[in-house]
Amino acid sequence: MNKLEANVSLVIITFFAAIQYIFLSAIPDTVSHFAFLCITNLIGFLITLAFFFGELFRLDKKQIVQSMALAGELFVFNVFLLLGSSGVSATVCACVLSAYFVFIPLFSVLIFHQKTEINNYVGIVIVLSGLFLILGTDVTGIFNRNVLYLLVADATFALYIMTSGKFSIGSNPSILAMGQMFFTFLFSLLFWAGESVVLHKPMSLPTDASFWGSVIYISFFIRGLYGIVQIYALRYVSPLNTSLIFSSEIIMTMFMSPILTLVFGSDPEQITLLKAAGGVVMVMGILAADSSVVESIKRRFIRVEK
């Protein structure tokens, strides 16, 4: 995999992430969040294990610890995501979650002691401007306690992106992907069992086809494919650029809405001129933050001047 292939791969898995909300809407409110995390991570682990079983012979203590750390970050992210998403509109939720890239430069300096280039900050400002355009009048909805939960989820996912990028350089990405799903399954199972004891509820799951259709989609495309491709791609794409690509998820969700409505019978997204303009601005910001794109434009201007 080279840098171009890595970027294309990240765009593809972002598409799968963009339509996951259609499947998540089929999950009954009575289902425990921990139960859903538990079953989807277990199935995702088993699917990837079937493809990468031979990689387990390369397993070592360092990769076990790294997988456990990544699983802890993902578990915290998912818990705060579920806490926050229940109290705000889908548009506000998607926009707030798309803004986790703003934590990347902060963590780069404070935790990893790395410098960030000026075009990174310019790209962040442009992308945030696009997000606010997409929000439009819904911007008043961000003043909500649940948004604080989503911001914690943002910070945790930003840390996860940076940590997995560091780990993937010297470790086997397939093992890390399988390991993080396995340990997330264990963490979720533990909390599900604790929740069951405290609330006096049986540890059971629905039997209807729509629920298990959602489980299979999330398990394969989000837990499995998404997790593996992301860790491989982070070897070639910086954490900031990765998170900016992921932030385009809201654009894909918005413009795929007419097709998703026909296929799944979901509620259509109202695409206004302001939202369309916000999508264009976000793409411009993503390109502006990519140093290779900026350097390419500079070289072309230099050639024109000569």
Side-chain angles (χ1 to χ4, degrees):
M1 181 180 287
N2 56 37
K3 185 174 181 180
L4 176 60
E5 292 170 342
N7 277 285
V8 171
S9 299
L10 289 173
V11 171
I12 292 173
I13 62 173
T14 300
F15 168 78
F16 288 123
I19 63 175
Q20 68 174 309
Y21 301 109
I22 299 298
F23 292 91
L24 290 176
S25 63
I27 302 171
D29 294 334
T30 54
V31 176
S32 166
H33 297 326
F34 299 123
F36 186 74
L37 290 177
C38 179
I39 191 64
T40 53
N41 277 283
L42 175 60
I43 295 176
F45 168 72
L46 293 175
I47 291 173
T48 53
L49 181 63
F51 286 96
F52 299 103
F53 178 77
E55 300 295 331
L56 292 181
F57 293 101
R58 303 179 183 178
L59 184 65
D60 57 38
K61 183 179 179 180
K62 182 186 74 172
Q63 293 180 116
I64 293 175
V65 173
Q66 290 176 340
S67 298
M68 190 179 298
L70 294 177
E73 292 170 347
L74 279 180
F75 181 75
V76 172
F77 162 73
N78 279 292
V79 168
F80 279 96
L81 166 62
L82 294 170
L83 284 172
S85 61
S86 62
V88 296
S89 69
T91 303
V92 172
C93 179
C95 284
V96 174
L97 287 176
S98 296
Y100 61 80
F101 58 83
V102 299
F103 290 97
I104 300 288
L106 178 63
F107 291 161
S108 294
V109 174
L110 296 181
I111 300 176
F112 297 97
H113 307 292
Q114 298 174 339
K115 293 182 180 180
T116 53
E117 300 178 8
I118 186 65
N119 63 289
N120 295 153
Y121 294 106
V122 172
I124 287 174
V125 172
I126 296 174
V127 172
L128 285 175
S129 300
L131 285 174
F132 273 100
L133 286 175
I134 293 174
L135 271 173
T137 55
D138 285 336
V139 71
T140 55
I142 65 174
F143 300 103
N144 186 305
R145 180 182 66 180
N146 295 79
V147 173
L148 294 177
Y149 295 142
L150 293 177
L151 289 175
V152 175
D154 280 346
T156 307
F157 195 70
L159 185 60
Y160 166 77
I161 290 289
M162 301 184 75
T163 306
S164 55
K166 292 286 185 184
F167 290 168
S168 66
I169 295 175
S171 297
N172 188 316
S174 301
I175 291 178
L176 292 180
M178 287 189 289
Q180 69 182 21
M181 279 185 281
F182 176 73
F183 283 112
T184 303
F185 154 68
L186 291 182
F187 295 155
S188 304
L189 180 62
L190 179 62
F191 276 81
W192 184 17
E195 181 184 58
S196 177
V197 172
V198 172
L199 300 180
H200 304 289
K201 294 173 59 177
M203 295 176 66
S204 59
L205 293 169
T207 57
D208 57 281
S210 60
F211 169 77
W212 285 100
S214 299
V215 167
I216 295 301
Y217 179 86
I218 298 298
S219 299
F220 184 82
F221 288 103
I222 305 303
R223 305 291 185 240
L225 181 65
Y226 189 103
I228 291 175
V229 170
Q230 174 187 275
I231 291 179
Y232 269 104
L234 279 168
R235 286 182 165 187
Y236 305 92
V237 185
S238 71
L240 178 60
N241 286 345
T242 298
S243 61
L244 288 171
I245 291 173
F246 286 166
S247 70
S248 65
E249 177 183 321
I250 187 174
I251 303 174
M252 295 184 185
T253 302
M254 185 170 58
F255 287 101
M256 282 294 296
S257 178
I259 298 175
L260 297 176
T261 298
L262 292 174
V263 176
F264 298 101
S266 57
D267 295 331
E269 174 75 26
Q270 298 299 320
I271 304 176
T272 64
L273 183 62
L274 196 63
K275 288 183 177 180
V280 173
V281 171
M282 282 189 68
V283 172
M284 291 172 60
I286 292 170
L287 294 176
D290 192 326
S291 300
S292 62
V293 173
V294 174
E295 288 300 320
S296 177
I297 294 174
K298 286 182 179 179
R299 285 195 297 269
R300 291 194 177 188
F301 272 111
I302 292 173
R303 289 173 185 171
V304 171
E305 290 177 357
K306 290 182 177 179

